[in-house]
Amino acid sequence: MTKKYIADRMLQEKISLMAQLQDMMHGMDDVIDLSIGDPDFTTPAPIIEAGYKDALAGYTHYTQHRGCPDVIQAVVDYYKRELDVDVDEKNVLITTSADYAAFQACFSTINPGDEVLIPDPSFLCYRSQVEYSGGKSVMIPTYEEDGWRLKAEIAEKYITPKTRGIFISTPNNPTGACMHKEDLEAIVKLAEKYDLLIYSDEIYTWYSYEVPFTSVLSIPGAAERTVVINSMSKNYVCTGARLAWVIAPVQIVGAMVQGGMNMVYTAPSISQRMAKFALNEGKAIMAPIMAEFKERMFKTAERINKIPHLKVQSPPPGTFYLFVNIKETGLTDEEFVLKVLHDAHVTLVPGSNFGDCGAGYVRVCATVGLPKLLEACDRIEALGL
Ligand SMILES: Cc1ncc(COP(=O)(O)O)c(C=O)c1O
């Protein structure tokens, strides 16, 4: 099929090894797939039932542009109750997935040529979201020695007159790094000094093991220059709902609503009903699942550190990802991933797919049960790399 109909911007996209892994696994019936950031648990039944019940009651339509008022209120109540942050309902937008929320935020705030700072390594979509919006992504190195925490003093070195904003992501995918309160304070100071907008991805809120989760919104001065993005995907193991909420200055919410009306007209109503229930009552329901993730993470990290030439932060700081240093094997991260896939039938993701600083590391998703995770470690150890 000719490529003549494909836009130049799409032809420039490089297909990462991560994107090719699904095809490579084809035909391997004993594969242990640790490559996908989708929790293996089905969303708890009460959350699904809340959506079902409300759908039967008629919530099957478009909703108000910013989302159902009672769902917006649930976001406001949640930030107050769980994170001690005061949010005005006017600053909330309910939208369609964190991915889309971040794209909407970039599209609504970035002018052609604006530079946006992004931690390296981090979730790979941020770069495309900035660049599809006409901006330039500028990667800010983070280091294993710093526990992969984003440092304001390093970010400052990359600021130019064109810098418009900075992405922060805590806990971070793929490193699991959790920003401490003082890291966030330093970023807010930096943003004030250079008049930057902060895009704060908080979708792994409850996967913080090292320090209690702190929202950047709790730092004085942050609210007027921050777009917070959070979603159902990880905190409620509900990637299928494609439902997110944004907290941002009123003008940015307005621009996102305006742009969004031409893309996805209002967030899915049934998912919004699930979100209302989850935000109000989900914490206790999720507790056993969160405990299971923590146990998987801690025990798998201990096991990985017993494999010669592999090293990972233990106990892990956050998320359900382990970012394993494989440099002592002498292989590149892509070579390591291909070897482990072909010879041990275990699928991992090369760290360099998340940014240059990820070279020499691989991401392990704890999205299968502990016995499978330990079996994957046994298989990798048996390769003698
Ligand atoms: C850091 C981060 N942000 C955003 C997303 C996308 O989340 P959603 O499913 O809500 O689009 C992911 C998905 O893995 C992620 O890891």
Side-chain angles (χ1 to χ4, degrees):
M1 154 61 177
T2 173
K3 290 183 175 165
K4 75 174 177 177
Y5 299 115
I6 307 301
D8 294 345
R9 76 173 79 84
M10 298 316 296
L11 292 175
Q12 282 158 17
E13 291 264 306
K14 267 204 352 231
I15 302 186
S16 66
L17 181 56
M18 184 177 176
Q20 298 169 48
L21 290 170
Q22 291 301 315
D23 289 341
M24 291 183 186
M25 279 186 269
H26 194 69
M28 292 182 189
D29 53 10
D30 62 344
V31 77
I32 302 178
D33 184 1
L34 308 180
S35 70
I36 301 290
D38 189 356
D40 50 323
F41 295 93
T42 300
T43 309
I47 300 177
I48 299 172
E49 280 156 10
Y52 175 65
K53 211 167 102 251
D54 284 358
L56 286 176
Y59 283 95
T60 53
H61 300 272
Y62 296 131
T63 69
Q64 288 86 345
H65 292 156
R66 280 199 294 120
C68 297
D70 54 354
V71 183
I72 291 174
Q73 188 59 42
V75 172
V76 170
D77 295 344
Y78 171 92
Y79 268 76
K80 184 68 195 163
R81 187 179 65 245
E82 306 294 349
L83 300 167
D84 197 23
V85 173
D86 288 308
V87 173
D88 191 292
E89 66 82 22
K90 287 192 203 61
N91 297 106
V92 180
L93 164 66
I94 311 296
T95 187
T96 311
S97 83
D99 260 337
Y100 178 62
F103 174 64
Q104 263 182 303
C106 291
F107 195 75
S108 305
T109 55
I110 295 172
N111 282 316
D114 285 347
E115 293 176 5
V116 177
L117 310 180
I118 297 175
D120 179 356
S122 64
F123 184 52
L124 59 174
C125 297
Y126 302 148
R127 277 162 276 171
S128 308
Q129 286 154 350
V130 167
E131 284 161 22
Y132 290 176
S133 303
K136 182 172 168 223
S137 51
V138 177
M139 301 304 281
I140 307 303
T142 62
Y143 301 103
E144 188 180 15
E145 302 75 64
D146 293 332
W148 298 107
R149 283 154 57 194
L150 176 65
K151 297 285 173 194
E153 63 271 22
I154 297 179
E156 187 164 15
K157 294 190 189 137
Y158 291 80
I159 292 181
T160 73
K162 290 186 176 164
T163 311
R164 175 94 165 178
I166 180 166
F167 264 87
I168 59 174
S169 180
T170 179
N172 175 284
N173 171 11
T175 63
C178 293
M179 291 177 77
H180 296 197
K181 194 161 184 230
E182 61 269 25
D183 302 328
L184 293 167
E185 284 166 347
I187 292 290
V188 172
K189 259 208 195 115
L190 186 75
E192 284 175 329
K193 183 169 168 191
Y194 294 96
D195 196 15
L196 308 181
L197 189 61
I198 301 170
Y199 306 88
S200 177
D201 183 338
E202 305 190 346
I203 80 163
Y204 294 93
T205 320
W206 301 120
Y207 299 85
S208 303
Y209 315 123
E210 185 180 59
V211 284
F213 175 81
T214 305
S215 170
V216 70
L217 287 181
S218 67
I219 311 292
E224 58 261 39
R225 56 177 66 255
T226 300
V227 180
V228 159
I229 295 161
N230 208 328
S231 87
M232 292 282 282
S233 288
K234 318 291 167 158
N235 286 328
Y236 300 109
V237 293
C238 196
T239 49
R242 312 310 297 130
L243 203 278
W245 48 95
V246 167
I247 303 170
V250 170
Q251 291 80 359
I252 295 180
V253 168
M256 289 175 71
V257 168
Q258 188 60 32
M261 280 203 274
N262 299 309
M263 293 190 232
V264 182
Y265 186 78
T266 81
S269 57
I270 301 168
S271 300
Q272 291 196 46
R273 306 318 297 166
M274 294 167 78
K276 177 187 170 188
F277 178 86
L279 286 160
N280 287 336
E281 302 187 45
K283 187 107 188 269
I285 296 169
M286 287 300 299
I289 293 179
M290 291 301 171
E292 160 97 25
F293 272 119
K294 186 171 176 187
E295 188 193 17
R296 287 179 186 177
M297 289 286 286
F298 279 48
K299 294 204 166 142
T300 309
E302 276 172 21
R303 175 68 185 91
I304 287 172
N305 281 330
K306 294 197 174 114
I307 303 177
H309 309 302
L310 302 192
K311 192 167 72 173
V312 69
Q313 191 174 340
S314 180
T319 68
F320 45 70
Y321 306 111
L322 294 165
F323 207 51
V324 182
N325 184 327
I326 54 108
K327 290 177 187 173
E328 273 185 26
T329 65
L331 299 172
T332 67
D333 51 306
E334 294 211 340
E335 287 165 349
F336 185 93
V337 164
L338 289 172
K339 184 135 191 72
V340 165
L341 178 59
H342 288 128
D343 297 352
H345 292 192
V346 175
T347 319
L348 309 170
V349 179
S352 56
N353 282 200
F354 302 94
D356 292 346
C357 293
Y361 299 83
V362 296
R363 188 187 75 173
V364 176
C365 298
T367 47
V368 299
L370 190 56
K372 279 267 174 234
L373 284 163
L374 297 178
E375 184 189 333
C377 293
D378 293 345
R379 289 193 200 176
I380 293 170
E381 185 168 35
L383 297 179
L385 296 172

Short mmCIF file of all heavy atoms in Angstrom, two decimals, residues 37 96-100 123 126 169 171-173 201 203-204 230-234 239 242-244 321 363, ligand 1:
data_model
loop_
_atom_site.label_atom_id
_atom_site.label_comp_id
_atom_site.label_asym_id
_atom_site.label_seq_id
_atom_site.Cartn_x
_atom_site.Cartn_y
_atom_site.Cartn_z
N GLY A 37 2.25 -2.28 30.56
CA GLY A 37 1.88 -1.55 31.77
C GLY A 37 0.38 -1.56 32.04
O GLY A 37 -0.20 -0.53 32.39
N THR A 96 -10.91 11.99 28.46
CA THR A 96 -10.82 10.63 27.95
C THR A 96 -9.39 10.10 28.01
O THR A 96 -8.67 10.23 27.03
CB THR A 96 -11.30 10.62 26.48
OG1 THR A 96 -12.54 11.30 26.44
CG2 THR A 96 -11.48 9.23 25.96
N SER A 97 -8.97 9.55 29.13
CA SER A 97 -7.65 8.93 29.34
C SER A 97 -6.56 9.97 29.62
O SER A 97 -6.61 11.10 29.13
CB SER A 97 -7.21 8.05 28.15
OG SER A 97 -6.62 8.82 27.13
N ALA A 98 -5.57 9.53 30.39
CA ALA A 98 -4.43 10.41 30.70
C ALA A 98 -3.66 10.75 29.43
O ALA A 98 -3.15 11.86 29.28
CB ALA A 98 -3.52 9.74 31.72
N ASP A 99 -3.58 9.79 28.53
CA ASP A 99 -2.88 10.04 27.27
C ASP A 99 -3.50 11.21 26.52
O ASP A 99 -2.82 12.15 26.10
CB ASP A 99 -3.03 8.80 26.36
CG ASP A 99 -1.79 7.94 26.40
OD1 ASP A 99 -0.71 8.44 26.73
OD2 ASP A 99 -1.93 6.74 26.08
N TYR A 100 -4.81 11.13 26.38
CA TYR A 100 -5.51 12.18 25.65
C TYR A 100 -5.47 13.50 26.42
O TYR A 100 -5.30 14.58 25.84
CB TYR A 100 -6.95 11.74 25.38
CG TYR A 100 -7.80 12.76 24.66
CD1 TYR A 100 -7.46 13.18 23.38
CD2 TYR A 100 -8.94 13.30 25.26
CE1 TYR A 100 -8.23 14.13 22.72
CE2 TYR A 100 -9.71 14.24 24.61
CZ TYR A 100 -9.35 14.65 23.34
OH TYR A 100 -10.11 15.59 22.70
N PHE A 123 7.72 8.22 30.41
CA PHE A 123 6.67 7.67 29.54
C PHE A 123 6.84 8.25 28.13
O PHE A 123 6.88 9.47 27.96
CB PHE A 123 5.33 8.09 30.13
CG PHE A 123 4.13 7.56 29.43
CD1 PHE A 123 3.98 6.21 29.15
CD2 PHE A 123 3.10 8.42 29.05
CE1 PHE A 123 2.85 5.72 28.51
CE2 PHE A 123 1.96 7.93 28.41
CZ PHE A 123 1.85 6.58 28.14
N TYR A 126 4.95 11.45 26.05
CA TYR A 126 5.07 12.89 26.29
C TYR A 126 5.74 13.58 25.09
O TYR A 126 5.34 14.66 24.68
CB TYR A 126 5.90 13.22 27.54
CG TYR A 126 5.42 12.64 28.84
CD1 TYR A 126 6.34 12.28 29.83
CD2 TYR A 126 4.07 12.46 29.11
CE1 TYR A 126 5.93 11.77 31.05
CE2 TYR A 126 3.66 11.94 30.34
CZ TYR A 126 4.59 11.60 31.30
OH TYR A 126 4.20 11.08 32.51
N SER A 169 6.63 13.60 36.48
CA SER A 169 5.88 12.35 36.48
C SER A 169 6.30 11.60 37.72
O SER A 169 7.44 11.14 37.82
CB SER A 169 6.26 11.58 35.22
OG SER A 169 5.57 10.38 35.17
N PRO A 171 4.75 8.87 40.84
CA PRO A 171 5.88 8.00 40.54
C PRO A 171 6.08 7.84 39.03
O PRO A 171 5.11 7.94 38.27
CB PRO A 171 5.48 6.67 41.18
CG PRO A 171 4.45 7.00 42.21
CD PRO A 171 3.73 8.19 41.67
N ASN A 172 7.32 7.58 38.65
CA ASN A 172 7.69 7.62 37.23
C ASN A 172 7.63 6.24 36.57
O ASN A 172 8.05 5.25 37.15
CB ASN A 172 9.12 8.19 37.13
CG ASN A 172 9.68 8.17 35.73
OD1 ASN A 172 10.08 7.12 35.22
ND2 ASN A 172 9.73 9.31 35.11
N ASN A 173 7.12 6.23 35.36
CA ASN A 173 7.21 5.07 34.47
C ASN A 173 8.33 5.40 33.49
O ASN A 173 8.21 6.41 32.79
CB ASN A 173 5.88 4.90 33.72
CG ASN A 173 5.94 3.86 32.62
OD1 ASN A 173 6.89 3.10 32.52
ND2 ASN A 173 4.92 3.84 31.78
N ASP A 201 2.01 14.51 35.77
CA ASP A 201 1.33 13.23 35.57
C ASP A 201 1.35 12.46 36.90
O ASP A 201 2.40 12.05 37.36
CB ASP A 201 2.07 12.46 34.46
CG ASP A 201 1.40 11.14 34.11
OD1 ASP A 201 0.65 10.60 34.94
OD2 ASP A 201 1.66 10.63 33.00
N ILE A 203 -0.59 9.64 37.62
CA ILE A 203 -1.50 8.50 37.47
C ILE A 203 -1.12 7.27 38.31
O ILE A 203 -1.90 6.34 38.42
CB ILE A 203 -1.76 8.10 36.01
CG1 ILE A 203 -0.64 7.27 35.43
CG2 ILE A 203 -2.08 9.27 35.13
CD1 ILE A 203 -1.11 6.56 34.17
N TYR A 204 0.09 7.28 38.90
CA TYR A 204 0.46 6.15 39.79
C TYR A 204 0.39 6.57 41.26
O TYR A 204 1.17 6.11 42.09
CB TYR A 204 1.87 5.65 39.45
CG TYR A 204 1.96 5.02 38.07
CD1 TYR A 204 2.34 5.79 36.97
CD2 TYR A 204 1.65 3.69 37.86
CE1 TYR A 204 2.41 5.23 35.69
CE2 TYR A 204 1.71 3.12 36.59
CZ TYR A 204 2.09 3.89 35.52
OH TYR A 204 2.16 3.34 34.26
N ASN A 230 -4.56 12.83 35.98
CA ASN A 230 -4.70 11.59 36.73
C ASN A 230 -5.78 10.75 36.03
O ASN A 230 -6.57 11.30 35.25
CB ASN A 230 -5.08 11.89 38.19
CG ASN A 230 -4.60 10.81 39.13
OD1 ASN A 230 -4.54 9.63 38.76
ND2 ASN A 230 -4.25 11.18 40.34
N SER A 231 -5.80 9.46 36.28
CA SER A 231 -6.79 8.65 35.54
C SER A 231 -7.18 7.39 36.31
O SER A 231 -6.60 7.06 37.34
CB SER A 231 -6.24 8.27 34.16
OG SER A 231 -5.47 7.09 34.20
N MET A 232 -8.16 6.70 35.76
CA MET A 232 -8.66 5.44 36.33
C MET A 232 -7.70 4.28 36.08
O MET A 232 -7.81 3.23 36.71
CB MET A 232 -9.98 5.05 35.64
CG MET A 232 -11.15 5.94 35.91
SD MET A 232 -11.85 5.57 37.52
CE MET A 232 -12.77 4.07 37.15
N SER A 233 -6.79 4.45 35.11
CA SER A 233 -6.07 3.30 34.56
C SER A 233 -5.29 2.50 35.60
O SER A 233 -5.39 1.28 35.63
CB SER A 233 -5.12 3.76 33.45
OG SER A 233 -5.88 4.11 32.33
N LYS A 234 -4.50 3.18 36.41
CA LYS A 234 -3.62 2.43 37.32
C LYS A 234 -4.21 2.43 38.73
O LYS A 234 -4.26 1.39 39.37
CB LYS A 234 -2.22 3.03 37.32
CG LYS A 234 -1.69 3.42 35.94
CD LYS A 234 -1.39 2.26 35.00
CE LYS A 234 -1.20 2.77 33.58
NZ LYS A 234 -0.45 1.94 32.68
N THR A 239 -7.79 0.32 32.94
CA THR A 239 -7.29 0.95 31.71
C THR A 239 -8.39 1.02 30.65
O THR A 239 -8.37 1.89 29.79
CB THR A 239 -6.07 0.18 31.15
OG1 THR A 239 -6.41 -1.20 31.10
CG2 THR A 239 -4.84 0.34 32.03
N ARG A 242 -10.79 4.28 29.98
CA ARG A 242 -10.24 5.45 29.27
C ARG A 242 -10.79 6.74 29.88
O ARG A 242 -11.38 7.58 29.20
CB ARG A 242 -10.54 5.40 27.75
CG ARG A 242 -10.25 4.11 27.05
CD ARG A 242 -8.86 3.53 27.34
NE ARG A 242 -7.74 4.35 26.89
CZ ARG A 242 -6.70 4.65 27.70
NH1 ARG A 242 -6.65 4.24 28.96
NH2 ARG A 242 -5.71 5.37 27.22
N LEU A 243 -10.59 6.88 31.16
CA LEU A 243 -11.21 8.01 31.87
C LEU A 243 -10.16 8.71 32.73
O LEU A 243 -9.45 8.05 33.49
CB LEU A 243 -12.36 7.50 32.73
CG LEU A 243 -13.47 8.46 33.15
CD1 LEU A 243 -13.13 9.30 34.35
CD2 LEU A 243 -13.95 9.36 32.00
N ALA A 244 -10.08 10.03 32.57
CA ALA A 244 -9.07 10.81 33.30
C ALA A 244 -9.67 12.09 33.84
O ALA A 244 -10.77 12.50 33.42
CB ALA A 244 -7.91 11.14 32.37
N TYR A 321 6.72 -1.05 38.13
CA TYR A 321 7.83 -1.29 37.20
C TYR A 321 9.15 -1.38 37.96
O TYR A 321 9.40 -0.58 38.87
CB TYR A 321 7.96 -0.13 36.21
CG TYR A 321 6.69 0.19 35.47
CD1 TYR A 321 6.00 1.38 35.72
CD2 TYR A 321 6.17 -0.69 34.53
CE1 TYR A 321 4.83 1.68 35.05
CE2 TYR A 321 4.99 -0.39 33.86
CZ TYR A 321 4.32 0.79 34.12
OH TYR A 321 3.16 1.08 33.45
N ARG A 363 13.02 -2.59 31.55
CA ARG A 363 11.84 -2.42 32.43
C ARG A 363 11.12 -3.76 32.58
O ARG A 363 10.82 -4.43 31.59
CB ARG A 363 10.88 -1.39 31.85
CG ARG A 363 9.75 -1.04 32.81
CD ARG A 363 8.70 -0.15 32.18
NE ARG A 363 7.84 -0.89 31.26
CZ ARG A 363 6.75 -0.39 30.67
NH1 ARG A 363 6.40 0.87 30.89
NH2 ARG A 363 6.03 -1.13 29.85
C1 LIG B 1 3.17 7.72 33.13
C2 LIG B 1 1.97 7.38 32.32
N1 LIG B 1 1.13 8.39 31.96
C3 LIG B 1 0.03 8.14 31.22
C4 LIG B 1 -0.29 6.85 30.81
C5 LIG B 1 -1.54 6.64 30.02
O1 LIG B 1 -2.61 6.41 30.91
P1 LIG B 1 -4.11 6.25 30.40
O2 LIG B 1 -4.37 4.78 30.33
O3 LIG B 1 -4.96 6.92 31.42
O4 LIG B 1 -4.17 6.90 29.07
C6 LIG B 1 0.55 5.79 31.15
C7 LIG B 1 0.25 4.42 30.70
O5 LIG B 1 0.98 3.48 30.90
C8 LIG B 1 1.71 6.06 31.93
O6 LIG B 1 2.54 5.09 32.32
#
